[in-house]
Amino acid sequence: AERTPRELRLVREGSQARQGAPAPESVELPIPGEAAGLGVRLRATARRMEQAAHPAPAKLRTPKPGDRVRVRHSRNARPLKEIFERMQVEAEQRRNWPLLEWGGRIVWMQGVDVDPEMDLPFQIEAAGEEVEERASAPAQRDPLGGHS
């Protein structure tokens, strides 16, 4: 608790340290290729091989303020805050939740059924035991409950 002449301010222990903690670094995922980071290992395989050029690499990162993702059976992109609330993911876990960004869009997110309608030139697979550990996080179900 902090006391000033005008107020008494209650502060959670350790909350100041968490706010100043640096965000985990993002990891580049070459297409085709593999990358590991943020507790997951992902593999991207090309769907259609174009001889001239490979798609730009994707970025495995944590959520940023204002991020939105389009989930299956939804007309519009939804804010990550809404998705996390429906999945009952606590704030501490949200800060380090892995997602994959490509071309300015979130194309994969741990535990979320991202819209398959996106025309991606690659397919994403989660591989390995690291994914299983994160999958045991609270309530891994359809974040929108099957409603749009």
Side-chain angles (χ1 to χ4, degrees):
E2 298 175 13
R3 185 179 178 115
T4 66
R6 300 189 73 180
E7 64 185 357
L8 176 64
R9 189 176 301 160
L10 300 176
V11 179
R12 277 188 160 164
E13 189 174 325
S15 66
Q16 292 174 338
R18 284 191 300 261
Q19 290 174 355
E25 291 187 31
S26 62
V27 177
E28 197 168 274
L29 173 62
I31 301 169
E34 283 190 36
L38 304 175
V40 296
R41 188 169 52 232
L42 298 177
R43 177 181 303 129
T45 53
R47 285 193 175 160
R48 41 187 188 270
M49 290 302 289
E50 295 156 5
Q51 306 250 348
H54 289 287
K59 187 188 326 181
L60 180 61
R61 65 172 179 85
T62 56
K64 295 178 184 174
D67 274 345
R68 298 175 74 86
V69 64
R70 186 169 175 191
V71 295
R72 184 185 298 258
H73 309 298
S74 180
R75 293 181 190 154
N76 299 316
R78 307 266 182 173
L80 292 187
K81 179 181 178 184
E82 180 181 322
I83 305 294
F84 286 137
E85 286 172 353
R86 291 186 183 215
M87 291 173 61
Q88 300 175 351
V89 176
E90 295 182 20
E92 288 297 315
Q93 292 177 315
R94 294 177 190 189
R95 290 186 189 111
N96 297 313
W97 202 264
L99 53 88
L100 189 69
E101 176 186 326
W102 182 76
R105 298 181 300 178
I106 296 174
V107 296
W108 177 88
M109 188 173 163
Q110 178 72 42
V112 176
D113 196 8
V114 175
D115 183 19
E117 300 290 317
M118 289 190 273
D119 187 30
L120 299 176
F122 58 91
Q123 180 176 333
I124 305 158
E125 297 176 34
E129 297 173 12
E130 296 175 74
V131 175
E132 298 300 322
E133 292 172 18
R134 177 139 340 232
S136 64
Q140 298 295 322
R141 61 177 182 258
D142 180 11
L144 297 178
H147 298 20
S148 58

